[in-house]
Amino acid sequence: MARIDSITVDIIENALKNIKEEMDVTLFRSAMSPVIREQHDCFPMITDAEGKMVVGNFGSHIPEVIKQFPEGMHDGDVIFVSDPYSCGGSVSHVNDWMIILPIFHKEKLVGYSSMFGHVIDVGGPVPSSMPVTATSIFGEGIRFPPVKLYDKGVLNEAIIKIIKANTRTPLENYSDLMALVASCRTAEKRVKELCERFGTDFYFEALDALLNRTEKMMRHLITNFLPTEPVSFEDYIDDDGLGNGPFKMKLTMWREGEHAYFDWTGTDKQSPGPINYYLSEPMFKMFIGSFLISVFDPAINFNDGFYDLLHIETPEGTLMRPKSPAALGCRTHALSRLFDVLSGVLAINSPESSPAAGYGTSPYFIFSGQDEEGRSFNLMEVMYGGLPGRPIGDGLDGHSWWPAFVNIPTEYLETYYPLMVNYYKTGTDSGGAGKHRGGNCNEKLYTILASGQVSIHDDREKIQPWGINGGEAGSSSSKLLIKKDGTQIRLSSKVDNVDVEKGDQILFITGGSGGWGNPIERNPNLVKLDVARGLVSKEKALNSYGVLLGEDLEVEIEETESIRAKMREKVGELQSFNFGDRDQTLVKL
């Protein structure tokens, strides 16, 4: 076998990263759904011939899907899947459509490209296909087990007909599906060019080197940062939208030598409602690796090279591994809260090295109906919240858990949907106070310009995001319907088909995030800047940070020093975790 040098490995690695970016660009320019096109709710991947992810985000699902085709893969095949239960949770609800494309070079399989994206509507009883009231996956829309959308280059027209007949948005869904295929074909073309340039043997050797490099670095992280004694942490989802809850998510972690173990035993049983999350083992391994790499060594490339070092236990019949046909449509509450739990368990022995909790969900605003000209519309917008305070600095204000996600521009919303955005801003004082402030929430006020129905998916309404290492807890979420006559109606965080009329308003407030470190250690000039920017009020500056600001917002230095001295005497030993009102809230619930 040819011996490859490290420079060539680096060239191929960066070429693959660029290919992944080109996959995204192809999709964004071709898809029609705003959740994909504007918000970038999609995840690309390129693997080796065995299906191991070399570049990507979510970990490889390829082997589990491919084994369902005993006839094997051929040049021109394209696989389509949207059923979580038939692909081990590789897609986590039926709105996520995944394409897998085998890549052949000179009749030899050299890898796979894959992309999945969230399409707006796949049928079911409510627009956008994520009913809060679903009690099984059968009530959430059409789903496809792994099928060949193209068989040796020939399109299966029957699949297209079935798709179009089972959605409120047939044009958008067809365009999104073909955009996903085009994205994978882009990767196919570029990978073939790499094989042509370097030769298949060199290409294979480079992929092995990339996987081995990541494994070696991950062994170092596991050995140096994970405990040998088991530690546990738990957090809660408020409810399932059907009156059940809260639901506990508990994770225990330890290491044995260079191997790490993560056990979800103690997590509550699966929910009657649709907040269950079918946790894919490869995906969770990628989450763990992503977290460790991001915190301790961001230079490491994400790939499947370290998977053999991680061991996952997820009891069947629980919230994180429900039995079919449990409903999964609102699984993002558990999916996002997973990061808070993972952060917490890693922080047990070193809170000074870990972030606090964030808004811990993926809020959705859904608005559908017919405009005044009789045209149907269906909007689903992903909302964001506060990201947690961190050892290296403040949390991000009004940001997505997924770094690549962005907001839908107001101009786009107001052009294509009958609504007006009155304001879109971060919520003052919603981030937990800390030496490094927790990120603030989002507040968005809509004015409805056509009668229709609004659905809302959110969490952290009852149980706050916790602070760490002396930081305070962040704020909870809330929703308000303001009728055109001025009547105000509180909406729950999970509700379907709220009737709205022209002139009504919806105020959508997401959760904030926890702060990191003792607030009275924060530089007073940073507190002054927060107040000037509207991120912190003068009252919170005084009460939480011990900073007295004058009328001109200048720091009253002597008074501030005196106030902070008194606060230090009262504080005593700092808490590793500050759960806010969680204990009292859990008792009430």
Side-chain angles (χ1 to χ4, degrees):
M1 178 178 285
R3 299 300 304 170
I4 193 167
D5 60 274
S6 61
I7 294 176
T8 304
V9 173
D10 288 342
I11 291 172
I12 292 176
E13 177 184 21
N14 284 288
L16 289 169
K17 289 179 178 178
N18 288 334
I19 294 170
K20 182 170 78 90
E21 297 297 323
E22 190 176 355
M23 292 175 71
D24 282 339
V25 171
T26 301
L27 181 63
F28 302 154
R29 290 181 175 178
S30 307
M32 289 187 67
S33 297
V35 175
I36 296 177
R37 184 182 185 90
E38 300 294 333
Q39 298 207 274
H40 302 172
D41 188 351
C42 61
F43 295 93
M45 180 174 65
I46 301 170
T47 80
D48 66 8
E50 296 178 358
K52 292 181 180 179
M53 186 183 78
V54 185
V55 294
N57 300 84
F58 264 24
S60 180
H61 38 260
I62 304 295
E64 186 154 3
V65 174
I66 295 303
K67 69 182 181 183
Q68 299 182 47
F69 295 89
E71 73 275 20
M73 293 292 105
H74 306 95
D75 197 2
D77 287 351
V78 176
I79 296 170
F80 168 50
V81 59
S82 69
D83 175 28
Y85 288 113
S86 62
C87 62
S90 301
V91 293
S92 55
H93 68 160
V94 295
N95 290 75
D96 285 340
W97 284 5
M98 182 166 68
I99 291 294
I100 300 172
L101 189 153
I103 302 173
F104 289 84
H105 177 65
K106 296 181 179 179
E107 300 184 350
K108 184 175 184 179
L109 179 67
V110 296
Y112 297 86
S113 61
S114 179
M115 174 73 85
F116 75 74
H118 181 121
V119 299
I120 288 184
D121 187 278
V122 291
V126 301
S128 294
S129 310
M130 293 180 291
V132 170
T133 55
T135 56
S136 81
I137 199 168
F138 298 117
E140 294 180 327
I142 190 171
R143 56 191 172 126
F144 287 87
V147 293
K148 287 189 177 181
L149 179 64
Y150 286 85
D151 190 350
K152 297 180 182 178
V154 179
L155 176 63
N156 188 334
E157 296 284 356
I159 294 176
I160 303 300
K161 291 179 181 179
I162 293 169
I163 286 173
K164 288 183 176 181
N166 286 276
T167 176
R168 299 168 180 85
T169 54
L171 176 61
E172 290 87 344
N173 283 25
Y174 175 75
S175 299
D176 293 345
L177 181 65
M178 291 300 119
L180 292 167
V181 174
S183 171
C184 291
R185 292 203 191 283
T186 298
E188 176 188 32
K189 178 181 179 181
R190 299 300 183 216
V191 168
K192 285 183 176 181
E193 290 173 353
L194 281 177
C195 291
E196 192 66 36
R197 175 182 175 186
F198 293 100
T200 304
D201 289 342
F202 257 55
Y203 179 72
F204 284 162
E205 194 169 345
L207 300 191
D208 289 340
L210 291 174
L211 293 167
N212 291 335
R213 179 190 294 175
T214 300
E215 181 194 30
K216 185 182 299 183
M217 293 177 174
M218 187 59 69
R219 287 181 185 274
H220 174 77
L221 291 186
I222 290 172
T223 304
N224 284 275
F225 296 106
L226 300 190
T228 55
E229 292 298 321
V231 292
S232 300
F233 188 83
E234 58 192 45
D235 204 346
Y236 295 80
I237 297 172
D238 290 347
D239 61 83
D240 66 351
L242 298 178
N244 306 298
F247 290 86
K248 179 172 66 176
M249 294 172 57
K250 181 178 180 179
L251 181 63
T252 301
M253 174 195 71
W254 71 96
R255 73 171 175 88
E256 297 175 10
E258 296 178 327
H259 288 250
Y261 295 80
F262 296 83
D263 187 351
W264 287 99
T265 299
T267 294
D268 281 345
K269 292 182 179 180
Q270 66 190 60
S271 161
I275 64 167
N276 301 292
Y277 176 42
Y278 193 107
L279 180 60
S280 161
E281 186 171 305
M283 189 180 294
F284 185 47
K285 288 181 177 181
M286 179 52 60
F287 290 160
I288 295 168
S290 299
F291 194 94
L292 290 173
I293 288 168
S294 298
V295 172
F296 298 114
D297 195 348
I300 299 177
N301 180 38
F302 296 130
N303 62 41
D304 287 7
F306 59 84
Y307 278 20
D308 291 342
L309 303 176
L310 304 181
H311 306 272
I312 314 299
E313 178 65 32
T314 312
E316 191 177 26
T318 63
L319 192 71
M320 307 303 285
R321 195 172 186 84
K323 294 180 180 179
S324 177
L328 307 172
C330 306
R331 86 287 179 229
T332 50
H333 309 308
L335 168 58
S336 302
R337 194 64 49 79
L338 176 153
F339 292 105
D340 289 337
V341 177
L342 182 58
S343 175
V345 77
L346 289 168
I348 294 292
N349 292 331
S350 57
E352 69 284 351
S353 301
S354 298
Y359 67 103
T361 182
S362 185
Y364 294 150
F365 172 71
I366 299 167
F367 177 37
S368 60
Q370 287 190 333
D371 64 19
E372 293 182 339
E373 297 181 9
R375 294 173 299 193
S376 297
F377 61 88
N378 186 13
L379 167 67
M380 196 202 86
E381 181 180 9
V382 183
M383 306 290 280
Y384 308 132
L387 294 193
R390 305 161 289 167
I392 61 171
D394 295 343
L396 302 178
D397 301 308
H399 205 280
S400 171
W401 267 117
W402 313 108
F405 278 23
V406 296
N407 67 295
I408 301 179
T410 296
E411 296 82 359
Y412 185 99
L413 291 173
E414 295 182 341
T415 299
Y416 292 102
Y417 300 97
L419 54 74
M420 179 174 67
V421 178
N422 298 74
Y423 61 74
Y424 184 32
K425 63 181 184 179
T426 58
T428 303
D429 292 341
S430 54
K435 179 178 180 180
H436 298 150
R437 178 179 55 81
N440 280 3
C441 72
N442 273 344
E443 295 184 2
K444 197 164 191 175
L445 180 65
Y446 303 89
T447 296
I448 303 300
L449 300 181
S451 296
Q453 290 77 43
V454 163
S455 297
I456 289 170
H457 294 219
D458 202 0
D459 203 65
R460 287 280 192 213
E461 180 185 26
K462 301 166 186 172
I463 299 172
Q464 295 171 263
W466 39 267
I468 198 169
N469 199 36
E472 293 182 0
S475 67
S476 299
S477 65
S478 63
K479 312 292 175 290
L480 189 66
L481 169 61
I482 306 169
K483 299 297 291 182
K484 58 184 177 182
D485 64 3
T487 303
Q488 297 188 1
I489 304 170
R490 296 277 296 189
L491 300 177
S492 109
S493 64
K494 303 172 185 68
V495 62
D496 280 335
N497 291 339
V498 177
D499 290 327
V500 291
E501 303 174 279
K502 182 178 180 180
D504 291 349
Q505 293 184 314
I506 297 286
L507 177 59
F508 199 118
I509 301 176
T510 61
S513 62
W516 184 97
N518 190 346
I520 61 176
E521 294 181 6
R522 186 170 178 80
N523 186 321
N525 288 321
L526 292 179
V527 178
K528 168 189 169 181
L529 187 60
D530 287 338
V531 174
R533 291 174 171 172
L535 301 173
V536 174
S537 66
K538 289 182 69 174
E539 293 74 21
K540 191 173 184 70
L542 177 60
N543 297 329
S544 292
Y545 291 98
V547 175
L548 180 64
L549 300 175
E551 291 296 326
D552 56 358
L553 294 188
E554 289 302 316
V555 177
E556 302 289 350
I557 297 176
E558 292 185 5
E559 290 85 346
T560 293
E561 290 176 352
S562 175
I563 293 167
R564 286 187 158 187
K566 293 177 181 178
M567 292 176 73
R568 285 189 184 93
E569 293 176 0
K570 292 182 180 180
V571 168
E573 186 176 351
L574 293 176
Q575 295 176 290
S576 294
F577 298 94
N578 183 335
F579 295 104
D581 297 327
R582 188 178 88 171
D583 292 341
Q584 295 92 322
T585 302
L586 289 173
V587 170
K588 293 177 183 177
L589 294 175

